Amino acid sequence: MRTSIAICLLASLGMGGCNSSNDGKSVDINFAESDRNFTPIFSDYNVSTPDQNNEEFYQLSGTHEALPEPFESNKGWLLNGMNRSDDLFMSVKGYVNGFEADKRYDLTISVDFITNVSSDCVGIGGAPGESVYFKLGASTIEPKNLVSDEIEDGIYRLNIDKGNQISSGSNALNVGHIANGIDCDEPAAYQQKTLKTEQTLEAITDEDGGFWVIAGTDSGFEGLTHYYIERLSVEAE
């Protein structure tokens, strides 16, 4: 079932408002009070077998809930996963519309998220923060998992090109990592972090004038990672 997000256009002089212009559209996706009809999706992990439930084995969960202190007055999307395969993608996806149908747009996407992962720490397979890469993307088709036969029991891969770990893809760009700037020798604490695409992403709207947005992490750190996605912003030209 497709869900959509209302589009509010930026008025002139930087003042908020809605209008009918097709230029300079900005989509504000704030999860403070609502999940905004987004859903979690996890990829790059082995398909479960009769002997092992890999959703449980990888500790995968995505829930819309209160943010941690000192941000607990708002909500966000909590994503959690144990990277047991040296390659785990976890994200949220949602459909936005209100644009012209079948038209190409150049998109700039930013994300506000909450992370307690300190900087310059050492971990298996890579640093817990610097080797967990944040990706922001968009596509005409809905991002879904396909089962690849790379291994005998199958492995989940996305049907869009998100790239792999540090590498960007045609549908998603690596915008940075989740380390929060607090030195590893200091007490861990939750911090807000903002990342933004440094180049535009191309997306073509569907017949309903919409496209899909996806945001999450591509991890090379072989351990448990969690963070909260607070807000997404999409600017289209």
Side-chain angles (χ1 to χ4, degrees):
M1 178 180 177
R2 174 183 292 173
T3 53
S4 62
I5 296 172
I7 302 296
C8 186
L9 306 182
L10 293 182
S12 61
L13 302 179
M15 298 177 63
C18 293
N19 57 47
S20 59
S21 170
N22 291 322
D23 298 324
K25 286 188 174 181
S26 179
V27 187
D28 181 36
I29 308 167
N30 193 330
F31 301 116
E33 297 181 356
S34 166
D35 63 15
R36 302 300 299 271
N37 292 320
F38 271 56
T39 55
I41 182 170
F42 301 86
S43 304
D44 298 340
Y45 70 96
N46 297 355
V47 175
S48 295
T49 67
D51 299 323
Q52 180 169 281
N53 182 326
N54 279 329
E55 284 71 31
E56 291 184 358
F57 183 59
Y58 282 75
Q59 302 179 37
L60 304 180
S61 64
T63 56
H64 183 253
E65 60 179 70
L67 299 174
E69 294 182 358
F71 309 98
E72 68 273 15
S73 60
N74 291 325
K75 293 183 177 181
W77 270 104
L78 168 62
L79 294 175
N80 184 89
M82 173 68 79
N83 183 7
R84 298 187 184 278
S85 61
D86 192 31
D87 186 18
L88 177 65
F89 184 73
M90 52 187 191
S91 63
V92 292
K93 64 177 183 178
Y95 181 77
V96 299
N97 63 2
F99 298 91
E100 292 186 37
D102 303 313
K103 182 177 179 179
R104 193 196 80 176
Y105 285 89
D106 292 323
L107 309 177
T108 300
I109 307 176
S110 65
V111 59
D112 296 333
F113 65 101
I114 306 295
T115 170
N116 70 344
V117 181
S118 301
S119 297
D120 300 321
C121 297
V122 177
I124 302 171
E130 288 84 356
S131 62
V132 182
Y133 309 102
F134 216 106
K135 301 243 175 118
L136 298 172
S139 65
T140 307
I141 62 173
E142 179 180 0
K144 293 183 178 180
N145 276 328
L146 302 176
V147 177
S148 169
D149 62 0
E150 300 166 45
I151 62 174
E152 183 177 353
D153 293 320
I155 188 169
Y156 290 116
R157 301 295 192 194
L158 275 184
N159 62 339
I160 64 170
D161 181 13
K162 65 171 180 60
N164 187 46
Q165 295 188 13
I166 196 171
S167 299
S168 297
S170 59
N171 298 120
L173 299 177
N174 174 16
V175 295
H177 54 71
I178 67 169
N180 63 12
I182 297 176
D183 190 83
C184 199
D185 293 331
E186 300 294 325
Y190 283 101
Q191 296 285 322
Q192 185 187 66
K193 187 171 183 177
T194 299
L195 295 172
K196 185 177 181 179
T197 54
E198 295 183 355
Q199 63 190 76
T200 57
L201 271 166
E202 179 183 307
I204 300 175
T205 54
D206 59 21
E207 60 185 7
D208 297 319
F211 53 84
W212 290 84
V213 175
I214 190 166
T217 50
D218 213 347
S219 177
F221 165 60
E222 296 179 43
L224 185 66
T225 295
H226 77 273
Y227 53 88
Y228 298 79
I229 298 179
E230 202 178 9
R231 184 174 184 170
L232 295 170
S233 178
V234 183
E235 297 179 3
E237 295 183 356

